[in-house]
Amino acid sequence: MSRYVTPSKIVLLALISLYTESVIPAAASIPILSFIFSSILPQSKKPGSRPSLDSSSIISIETFQTATITHGSFIPGRTVWDLLLKKLWEINTLDALEDFFDSLSSLRRKTREELRRDAENGILEEPDRILLSRTSPFGTFVRRVHLEHIRLQFEDCVILWKSFIKFREATFSNWKRRNPTAVRTSFDANLVDFDLGVDHNATNILYGDLGDEKCKDANFSFTDVENFLEFQIDQMQSNSKTGNRLPNEMKTQFEEMIKTGSNIPSRSHYVKFLDAWKAGDYPSSFDCLHRYFDYTMQHKDRTNYHYALLTLAILQADFGCHAEAVAAILEAIATARENKDTQCLTYSLSWLSNFSKTHPEEAGDIRNSGMLSTEKEALGVLKVKAKEASMWSLLGICLLSEARLGLTTVSYGSKLMKIIHISAARLPDTKESQGDSVAIAFENITKASYLTVIRNVSNNTGSQLSIQSTIFSRLGISYLGWSYAEIFRQCYLEVSSAEDRLYCICNCAIALAHKGRYNDALALIDKVKPTTMRTLKYQQDWISYSGLLKLQRKLHRNDLVAAEHFLSQLQANRPSSPISKLTVTIEEIHLQIRRQDYSNAMELLETCASDPANEEADILLRIKLLTLKARIFYKAGIPQKGFSVAVRAVNMAYKARIQPALWEAIGAVSRVLLSLKEFDAAARLLVSIMPQVLECEDCELTAESYLSLADAHMGMAGQAKSEPLKRKEQMAKALEYIDRSFDEFSRIEDVRGQCEMLAKKATIMRLNGDFVLANDYAAKYLDIEKAAREERL
């Protein structure tokens, strides 16, 4: 493998030589020059581009034909392709190839000293010849090829000559059409002069190895290999497209390419590291990472040492070695400060901040190190560092993280355990902060959007739309949140990172499941591209989201055995899964409630609440824990014990502006009022929030609200025994709300909810004396239960 010179570059030189001979007309000059420029200058990285060894670095002879055959020349009846063929087939011996390289110096403009020497010797310049500037791209390319050829050893020159013959062989039919006297041995004038055929022994001795690997390997150079590796690293780490492993066909070509060279580029170890890392092969990735930085540090001393530590920390964290990851990242930060590498320092601090948020159990050690204090202060430091280093993408991410932080964290003075065990006599009124307002969150989003437009940071658009979708969903405006998610999916999916794309699709699937569209949700989540699944982390996250959807569906269908199976899969998730441990615990509590095992459900809730790691969890999940406790008390027949917890949930949801959680908590309060026979107050409370509940587009929340309304009106009907008209009116309203609740339960396939509504309707019909309808509802009740049992079987 040569360092730079390849057969395709020889053809490029021949094409440049034709341009300098002024045989290409002005109309064809621009497309021909554009083709040459695109071949010798670095390619721009386009989204979705996927070069291989057969393109990009290596240009086939067919590509040259396509680029030149449609353009005429100043010679009548001849195209540029015909003149290029003539130029190539004139190189018919190894000596002719050497002469061709020696003539390259005449293509470039001569220096003042060379002009003076030529004038003394009486040498005149050709008047019609175009000379290349010594500093132009063409002149630089010609000079480099010439110098690299001079450095070649004789054996390498012979291999280059044979590979050039093999490369040019496909044009023989075109050449023979213009030159009928050409024979199969025309590639070497010596064979023609001595009348040696293709099957002659001397021909076989000289050129019998044209199909060997050495000749094939000469088609690409060491520089091409390095460019290829650099591009592959960029693609595997890229946020704009897939950022995935090497495809199998690319991996095969990559391994063959590496075997050919005596010197293996150090980047090849980094490519192997990325591929092993994304495949989940910890030993191989660890070994390749050490090899890569061992090779680089032989030449650059400690220049890359902090980058090695940063990469090592990311690797260790991805495989669950959190203590080792913290030690590596702290040393990386210290080394980056020592070397005054602002970019590495800023990125390391950003990663450390995100790591401490994802793994709160390690946050104590990180804060003790003095690197980070609170998350808000850490984001402030990162914003300053990002602005100093002109890292606009990181600055935008910091602004978006600050917006998310203000809406997802509300830190209270009392611990979560104390909140869960709060007494009915007194509510704590101490709190450290109430989080930022919605206005401040939107201010940060607007700043990030302005930065995205001004600095053209398009890869942040997906994250921005995702956060806006989340905010509107938490504000109870679900249709607007869905619209932002759809804008992301329809317009910015291809320019966003694989992680943002995956999580956007999965969150949209969960939103569809809340509307009862489970089939659409599962179909949407199955549309995730297989290229994304080549990364182990994304594959595990996809499995987690799919498992969560199927678990919720099985719970609603009352298939508790299958639900327990999916729950065990979710509990086996990796620690850094986007579906947090608290979310899985909440689903487990739902499972125990479905089993009517309220003592076990309460025990799980108490254990979860006492876990210190959950103190930094999303406030939405903490409010859900409070509402769940009130619901367990209600299911257990002691709803009044959950009054203080429900009021606390209402207070927290109102402070955090999480509307769906607020309506759910108000529903828990209304159930307490129903148990106290305050039916009118419960009904007025529920009617006041029903428009907002419907706006949330959550079928389960809507069904539970309608159910509570029906119970309230039935209670008022019971209190109006002496007023038949009022009693009949209240029972009619109760029937209406039961029907609406039944419809919502049917959408989410909640078997137990449907049966409960039918039982209530049958009871009302019996009270009204309509035994026929009561029996019909009872029969329908049995049919639904039978269908659910058959489906489980």
Side-chain angles (χ1 to χ4, degrees), residues 64 86 163 242 264 306 335 409 597 604 639 767:
F64 284 101
K86 182 175 182 296
S163 64
T242 58
I264 300 177
H306 45 292
T335 310
T409 58
D597 188 357
L604 281 171
L767 290 174

Side-chain angles (χ1 to χ4, degrees), residues 674-741:
L674 290 174
S675 69
L676 296 172
K677 297 185 179 181
E678 296 289 343
F679 303 116
D680 183 58
R684 284 189 283 109
L685 181 63
L686 289 168
V687 167
S688 66
I689 67 169
M690 279 311 299
Q692 290 82 5
V693 169
L694 294 172
E695 202 173 31
C696 292
E697 297 183 352
D698 189 336
C699 290
E700 186 172 10
L701 176 60
T702 307
E704 293 289 347
S705 301
Y706 277 134
L707 174 57
S708 297
L709 262 176
D711 290 342
H713 283 285
M714 278 302 295
M716 286 189 284
Q719 291 175 344
K721 291 181 180 179
S722 59
E723 302 178 40
L725 290 178
K726 184 177 180 181
R727 183 172 182 268
K728 188 175 181 180
E729 179 186 354
Q730 295 297 336
M731 292 180 70
K733 288 184 178 180
L735 275 174
E736 179 186 354
Y737 289 130
I738 287 174
D739 286 334
R740 292 184 183 181
S741 181

Side-chain angles (χ1 to χ4, degrees), residues 132 164 169 188 201 206 209 237 258 267 272 278 300 315 436 448 543 553 564 606 611 624 643 668 684 753:
L132 305 176
F164 175 69
E169 185 179 10
D188 192 334
N201 290 335
L206 292 174
D209 58 349
Q237 293 180 326
I258 295 301
R267 285 192 179 94
K272 292 179 180 178
K278 292 177 182 294
K300 299 182 180 180
L315 177 66
D436 292 331
I543 292 172
R553 191 176 198 180
E564 188 171 7
E606 301 286 354
D611 188 355
K624 280 186 176 293
F643 177 71
R684 284 189 283 109

Side-chain angles (χ1 to χ4, degrees), residues 502-634:
L502 174 64
Y503 297 156
C504 175
I505 291 174
C506 292
N507 289 330
C508 287
I510 290 176
L512 288 173
H514 288 166
K515 299 176 184 179
R517 298 166 56 184
Y518 282 105
N519 292 331
D520 293 339
L522 293 173
L524 178 61
I525 209 169
D526 286 339
K527 287 182 180 179
V528 176
K529 293 183 178 179
T531 52
T532 306
M533 296 301 173
R534 287 203 297 263
T535 301
L536 180 65
K537 174 179 178 290
Y538 298 150
Q539 185 181 20
Q540 290 174 339
D541 293 346
W542 180 85
I543 292 172
S544 298
Y545 276 106
S546 300
L548 182 63
L549 286 175
K550 293 174 182 177
L551 168 62
Q552 292 175 347
R553 191 176 198 180
K554 294 300 180 182
L555 283 175
H556 288 149
R557 289 181 172 181
N558 213 31
D559 190 354
L560 303 184
V561 176
E564 188 171 7
H565 172 71
F566 286 117
L567 181 65
S568 62
Q569 288 185 342
L570 288 175
Q571 288 172 336
N573 277 348
R574 58 187 178 83
S576 58
S577 171
I579 298 177
S580 65
K581 182 180 177 182
L582 186 55
T583 304
V584 178
T585 304
I586 289 174
E587 294 300 328
E588 187 177 3
I589 294 172
H590 280 298
L591 176 61
Q592 298 303 328
I593 292 175
R594 292 270 176 176
R595 286 175 172 167
Q596 298 182 353
D597 188 357
Y598 303 120
S599 59
N600 195 11
M602 183 63 72
E603 184 180 347
L604 281 171
L605 191 143
E606 301 286 354
T607 304
C608 181
S610 60
D611 188 355
N614 291 331
E615 293 175 12
E616 302 294 331
D618 187 354
I619 189 172
L620 174 61
L621 299 178
R622 290 186 276 165
I623 295 172
K624 280 186 176 293
L625 278 181
L626 295 173
T627 311
L628 262 180
K629 184 166 186 178
R631 184 177 181 183
I632 293 173
F633 282 131
Y634 172 74

